[in-house]
Amino acid sequence: MNNAPHQPPSTRTRVRRLAEKAHYESATLYSIVDDAYCCHIAFNQGESTHCIPTACWRIDDYLYIHGSNGGRLTKAMLANNQVSVAITHIDGLVLARSAFNHSMHYRSAVIYGAFELVTDKQAKIAALDAFMDKIASGRKHEVRQGNEQELAATSVMRISLAEAASKISNKPPEDNEEDSALPVWAGVLPLVTTRGKPVPANNGAIPVPDYVNDWAR
């Protein structure tokens, strides 16, 4: 990615449909990735095409995922397959005066490239620590760390964010001029993700740690 908002990093990242909604600068991409807990990875494998959801997080200019060594996604990523990674946040439903002009508020990103395996042990541990921080900052200092067997059974992979495009839609309804006088309510129905009250497991006698209360706030 780069800081030139109108310059796609490659031909396949150029947004063609509603190009005015495209963003190519890294700051926008990072914010979309950082707000996501899940991405969808599409890839071709032989005669089949798959799209698999998985947890994700970012470190610098890379998107990270992890998986079991024997899993289909892990095997496919380690075969150096070219992939497309999609992230979408729906922020609202846009109600226009005509059915055809209804739309959504959204922030999305599509990333192209191939995943690479994180082979250095310390880099792998650091990446998993960063994932734990994304889930709940401070959690990594309290839980049991992964042991040698667990680490060996887990693959950590990353893909560069250098070839990516973002797309944002956040405008009010855009009605045709001939529909503007129709006696129909038009507007936006916002959709917001909120954090709920933590629900303890079977160890409710243990006080809720500060970082959990902070997360809920």
Side-chain angles (χ1 to χ4, degrees), residues 55-213:
C56 64
W57 68 102
R58 181 182 68 86
I59 302 175
D60 298 328
D61 197 33
Y62 287 89
L63 175 82
Y64 283 73
I65 63 171
H66 76 300
S68 169
N69 292 347
R72 168 186 279 175
L73 182 62
T74 300
K75 290 181 178 179
M77 297 305 97
L78 296 184
N80 199 37
N81 280 304
Q82 283 289 309
V83 305
S84 176
V85 183
I87 294 172
T88 305
H89 304 286
I90 303 299
D91 297 320
L93 306 177
V94 181
L95 278 58
R97 292 174 176 83
S98 70
F100 184 81
N101 285 325
H102 281 58
S103 61
M104 295 182 183
H105 281 179
Y106 61 84
R107 293 164 291 136
S108 65
V110 177
I111 304 151
Y112 295 93
F115 278 89
E116 62 183 16
L117 181 68
V118 177
T119 57
D120 180 80
K121 182 179 178 181
Q122 292 308 312
K124 182 178 180 179
I125 292 173
L128 291 172
D129 281 348
F131 180 42
M132 188 63 64
D133 274 338
K134 181 177 178 68
I135 294 173
S137 181
R139 182 74 172 167
K140 68 183 180 185
H141 302 299
E142 185 174 71
V143 298
R144 177 182 68 79
Q145 299 300 305
N147 57 38
E148 293 295 328
Q149 182 179 358
E150 291 167 334
L151 286 172
T154 303
S155 293
V156 175
M157 297 153 283
R158 69 180 192 174
I159 187 172
S160 172
L161 295 173
E163 191 179 1
S166 304
K167 196 173 180 181
I168 297 175
S169 180
N170 54 13
K171 292 184 178 180
E174 296 180 351
D175 284 298
N176 299 334
E177 185 176 352
E178 61 268 26
D179 295 329
S180 60
L182 290 175
V184 178
W185 188 90
V188 177
L189 306 180
L191 292 173
V192 180
T193 299
T194 60
R195 298 185 176 191
K197 182 179 179 180
V199 179
N202 58 355
N203 57 353
I206 297 176
V208 178
D210 289 341
Y211 66 83
V212 172
N213 285 323

